[in-house]
Amino acid sequence: MENKIIYWIGGSACAGKSTLANMIADKYKMDLYSCDEHFYEHLSNISAINYPAMYKVSKMNANEAFYLRDIEEQLSVYTQSFIEDFQFVMNDILNTHTSSIVVEGNQLLPSLVFPYLRKKQNAVWIIPTESFQKNHYKKREWLKDILESTDDPTVSFDNWMKRDALFAKYIYHEAKKLKLQTLLVDGSNNIDENFNYIERIFGLK
């Protein structure tokens, strides 16, 4: 860990984390680790006893995930699954043979990342407003198929958005409590402006 420079981009869904992380990695010739790309691989290496939330997620269909459970239960399992997965994420990072790496994903809860920070400016949490999040989720082509597999697509989408809005607030307040950098995304800035902001936070320009 001492020989690695890690740039952390956490936050909530539909904030532009993946796009911005890719832009940083491409421009500065760094490796990129996207938590989502490894999550289902990690699910194949778990037990219900040691990783109960991840195990629940692995067994749920969309109806169970977004329609049958109340919002608080959805948020609890969602957040806990990321806490459990963070152990796998750190193991993957420690085993990469690279000196500089950009890591992005919802799994990067501020309280989990904080002990690994050398400098607070090596990390940022990107938080979308609720309206921005909803508008951008609707543009995702795969969303319709997931929702149509539930008993009520309209209610399921509403539950999904409420859960993610609560998760965004959780991340924001945790980052602020630890005095870590955040970027609120409401659509008033374009992706290049957000990229420049993150470059400055990371001390890359």
Side-chain angles (χ1 to χ4, degrees), residues 7-173:
Y7 296 91
W8 309 86
I9 301 179
S12 187
C14 272
K17 296 188 306 299
S18 298
T19 300
L20 291 164
N22 271 285
M23 292 170 71
I24 292 287
D26 286 346
K27 181 173 180 178
Y28 295 98
K29 310 303 179 187
M30 300 179 189
D31 283 353
L32 173 67
Y33 182 95
S34 177
C35 295
D36 280 352
E37 292 181 4
H38 298 269
F39 184 65
Y40 289 98
E41 172 192 336
H42 297 162
L43 288 180
S44 66
N45 294 302
I46 62 169
S47 68
I49 295 174
N50 294 327
Y51 302 94
M54 289 178 72
Y55 186 80
K56 279 186 179 180
V57 169
S58 73
K59 299 300 180 183
M60 280 183 197
N61 57 36
N63 205 50
E64 293 168 321
F66 303 114
Y67 182 67
L68 296 177
R69 299 178 304 148
D70 63 47
I71 305 299
E72 290 301 323
E73 165 68 7
Q74 290 185 36
L75 178 65
S76 176
V77 173
Y78 186 67
T79 305
Q80 187 60 37
S81 70
F82 292 146
I83 293 172
E84 293 173 3
D85 190 42
F86 187 75
Q87 301 171 45
F88 290 100
V89 170
M90 288 308 304
N91 186 61
D92 290 344
I93 294 170
L94 289 170
N95 286 305
T96 59
H97 301 290
T98 183
S99 58
S100 298
I101 185 169
V102 184
V103 183
E104 69 87 12
N106 293 347
Q107 285 86 336
L108 309 182
L109 274 63
S111 59
L112 299 179
V113 172
F114 186 75
Y116 297 96
L117 292 180
R118 291 180 181 175
K119 299 184 297 182
K120 288 184 180 180
Q121 64 264 36
N122 272 11
V124 64
W125 281 264
I126 309 176
I127 313 295
T129 62
E130 194 166 354
S131 59
F132 183 90
Q133 173 191 286
K134 282 184 179 179
N135 290 335
H136 280 261
Y137 253 117
K138 289 176 181 178
K139 296 176 183 178
R140 295 187 166 183
E141 295 180 359
W142 45 261
L143 182 73
K144 184 178 179 181
D145 289 340
I146 293 176
L147 293 175
E148 287 184 348
S149 69
T150 70
D151 291 342
D152 191 322
T154 301
V155 171
S156 296
F157 180 71
D158 187 55
N159 288 343
W160 191 341
M161 294 304 98
K162 286 178 179 176
R163 182 205 69 182
D164 277 14
L166 288 172
F167 182 73
K169 289 178 182 177
Y170 174 84
I171 295 297
Y172 178 77
H173 289 301

